[in-house]
């Protein structure tokens, strides 16, 4: 009989805290495909796999952390949750909160929220408040609201989020049989690089109750967008800019944890330009067959950039986590490499015209 994936809490119950398991709120998240990407292997001289997190229930990895955060909140009898969001956190929080019968308040920064994500939050019944300020201002306000009112904060500063998101690392090791040499991913608020590092370390460490599953941990390679690269710059960015809205964050909440993940794993955190991100986005969709949102392409842009500088070890096994689905922010697919709008060719409704237009003679 086919095995139905049960969601990350049920699948990894022995490696998650008990308090997220009292009242599980799940939409079947996790169990996402690990897809080999020959085009990227060829470009980098490594063996590259993509962890396709757009296949989660609301289309991004945020669901891994939201099932644990909302389950923990439900276990404590919470009635309402709040988050600051560049989009995907609100889409995910709204879905899991409505499933749990809770109110979900969402603080989104002025402008620059991708249409797909906004429509999800609204469809799932979130109370959407557009805040006069950027993401970092929204997070400060959300934190204060949670401190002063009976509302739980479900941003990635909530440790339950990290617990859920670490299961992405477990799945990679389970699929490959051991940890890869390198794990690459985009870095925004830096919760995910923190979570993956935690997952890889836990899987490589035997405890009294659990054996080690991996023999080692991968080097963590994190990539920020050039206009929003505070960790690379070494100071907060007051006006972060990038087309990759999911990582348009000037003062990451998990800054120190991200630096620890980098340093303890022998990794790097670098920046990639919007042009490099869009080029990687195009390679992913037009050659690898994987459609992602722009931020998700930052990890791929990063390994290509490092390969161009001779910084990818030959034959290394690399997993790149591509974090969100292309349908979240589809406008970028409708432009050609030269920036012009792509329009379909008009033809008559006959086979001859159609075959002609396709160059089939
Ligand atoms: C949230 C998000 C990121 C950034 O993750 P952090 O944990 O904030 O570093 C990257 N890509 C997508 C699609 C996201 O939704």
């Amino acid at each position: 009989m086919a095995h139905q994936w049960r969601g990350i809490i049920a699948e990894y119950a022995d490696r998650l805290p008990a308090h997220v398991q009292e009242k599980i709120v799940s939409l079947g998240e996790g169990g996402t495909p690990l897809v080999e990407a020959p085009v990227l292997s060829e470009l980098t001289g490594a063996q590259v796999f993509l962890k396709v997190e757009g296949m989660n229930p609301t289309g991004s990895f945020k669901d891994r952390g939201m099932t644990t955060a909302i389950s923990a909140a439900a276990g404590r009898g919470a009635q309402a949750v709040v988050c600051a969001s560049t989009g995907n956190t609100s889409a995910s929080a709204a879905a899991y909160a409505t499933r749990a019968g809770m109110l979900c308040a969402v603080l989104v920064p002025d402008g620059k929220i991708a249409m797909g994500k906004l429509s999800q939050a609204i469809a799932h019944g979130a109370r959407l408040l557009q805040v006069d300020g950027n993401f970092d201002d929204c997070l400060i306000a959300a934190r204060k609201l949670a401190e002063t009112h009976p509302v739980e904060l479900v941003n990635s500063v909530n440790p339950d989020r990290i617990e859920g998101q670490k299961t992405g690392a477990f799945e990679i090791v389970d699929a490959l049989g051991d940890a890869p040499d390198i794990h690459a991913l985009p870095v925004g608020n830096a919760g995910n690089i923190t979570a993956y590092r935690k997952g890889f370390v836990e899987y490589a460490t035997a405890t009294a109750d659990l054996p080690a599953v991996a023999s080692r941990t991968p080097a963590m390679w994190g990539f920020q967008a050039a206009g929003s690269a505070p960790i690379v710059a070494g100071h907060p960015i007051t006006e972060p800019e990038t087309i990759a809205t999911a990582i348009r964050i000037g003062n990451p909440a998990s800054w120190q944890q991200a630096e620890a993940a980098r340093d303890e794993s022998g990794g790097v955190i670098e920046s990639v330009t919007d042009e490099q991100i869009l080029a990687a986005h195009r390679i992913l969709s037009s050659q690898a067959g994987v459609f992602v949102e722009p931020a998700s392409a930052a990890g791929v842009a990063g390994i290509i950039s490092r390969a161009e500088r001779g910084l990818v070890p030959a034959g290394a096994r690399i997993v790149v986590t591509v974090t969100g689905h292309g349908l979240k922010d589809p406008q970028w697919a409708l432009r050609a490499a030269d920036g012009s709008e792509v329009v379909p060719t008009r033809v008559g409704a006959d086979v001859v015209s159609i075959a002609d237009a396709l160059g089939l003679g």
Side-chain angles (χ1 to χ4, degrees):
M1 211 167 79
H3 167 66
Q4 160 106 352
W5 181 265
R6 297 167 296 163
I8 58 134
I9 298 180
E11 294 289 342
Y12 291 109
D14 56 353
R15 291 182 179 270
L16 290 170
H19 75 271
V20 307
Q21 306 189 33
E22 284 158 29
K23 203 161 178 201
I24 297 177
V25 182
S26 172
L27 294 168
E29 60 296 313
T32 57
L34 187 71
V35 180
E36 199 162 356
V39 57
L40 295 174
S41 300
E42 212 162 290
L43 273 174
T44 58
Q47 186 190 20
V48 181
F49 295 83
L50 301 169
K51 181 67 170 156
V52 185
E53 289 291 279
M55 295 301 284
N56 276 294
T58 77
S60 85
F61 74 82
K62 299 296 196 300
D63 295 338
R64 292 180 185 277
M66 210 51 76
T67 184
T68 42
I70 298 286
S71 294
R76 288 188 288 265
Q79 306 283 310
V81 296
V82 64
C83 64
S85 182
T86 59
N88 282 330
T89 297
S90 60
S92 185
Y96 284 82
T98 201
R99 183 76 186 201
M102 293 176 197
L103 174 79
C104 177
V106 170
L107 308 185
V108 296
D110 225 5
K112 306 255 168 82
I113 297 289
M115 186 61 77
K117 306 174 188 182
L118 206 57
S119 61
Q120 287 179 290
I122 291 166
H124 294 304
R127 293 287 299 277
L128 207 67
L129 302 175
Q130 183 120 31
V131 173
D132 237 354
N134 61 24
F135 171 83
D136 306 290
D137 301 320
C138 290
L139 183 54
I140 292 167
R143 278 179 136 149
K144 283 193 182 141
L145 185 76
E147 276 163 24
T148 52
H149 294 76
V151 183
E152 298 222 11
L153 181 69
V154 294
N155 279 103
S156 61
V157 292
N158 176 335
D160 297 325
R161 282 275 310 274
I162 304 299
E163 286 298 312
Q165 286 172 213
K166 77 183 182 188
T167 60
F170 297 167
E171 289 178 20
I172 289 170
V173 174
D174 287 342
L176 294 176
D178 203 344
D181 300 303
I182 294 157
H183 177 244
L185 78 173
V187 174
N189 214 24
N192 215 26
I193 191 170
T194 303
Y196 265 98
R197 172 67 185 162
K198 187 167 198 282
F200 283 125
V201 168
E202 287 183 8
Y203 242 26
T205 311
T207 65
D209 304 321
L210 294 166
V213 180
S215 69
R216 56 198 173 135
T217 63
M220 302 295 284
W221 287 8
F223 297 96
Q224 302 194 293
S228 310
I231 298 176
V232 179
H235 57 78
I237 306 293
T238 11
E239 309 248 319
E241 267 312 329
T242 171
I243 53 118
T245 51
I247 54 173
R248 188 167 166 265
I249 291 172
N251 192 9
S254 301
W255 189 317
Q256 281 173 350
Q257 293 91 321
E259 289 187 338
R262 174 194 67 193
D263 298 341
E264 289 163 15
S265 73
V268 295
I269 296 179
E270 295 184 345
S271 65
V272 285
T273 64
D274 282 1
E275 289 68 32
Q276 288 174 310
I277 288 172
L278 286 175
H281 183 263
R282 194 165 289 115
I283 291 168
L284 279 169
S285 43
S286 70
Q287 295 183 63
V290 175
F291 190 29
V292 302
E293 66 169 283
S296 305
V300 172
I303 64 163
I304 294 172
S305 159
R306 284 182 66 79
E308 285 166 356
R309 286 174 282 143
L311 296 174
V312 171
R317 189 172 258 199
I318 303 179
V319 172
V320 187
T321 292
V322 288
T323 45
H325 203 289
L327 293 173
K328 294 275 192 176
D329 195 2
Q331 60 160 317
W332 302 102
L334 300 175
R335 289 206 200 147
D338 64 8
S340 65
E341 184 124 352
V342 177
V343 283
T345 310
R346 288 200 73 92
V347 292
D350 62 284
V351 173
V352 174
S353 312
I354 292 168
D356 255 6
L358 294 173
L360 298 174

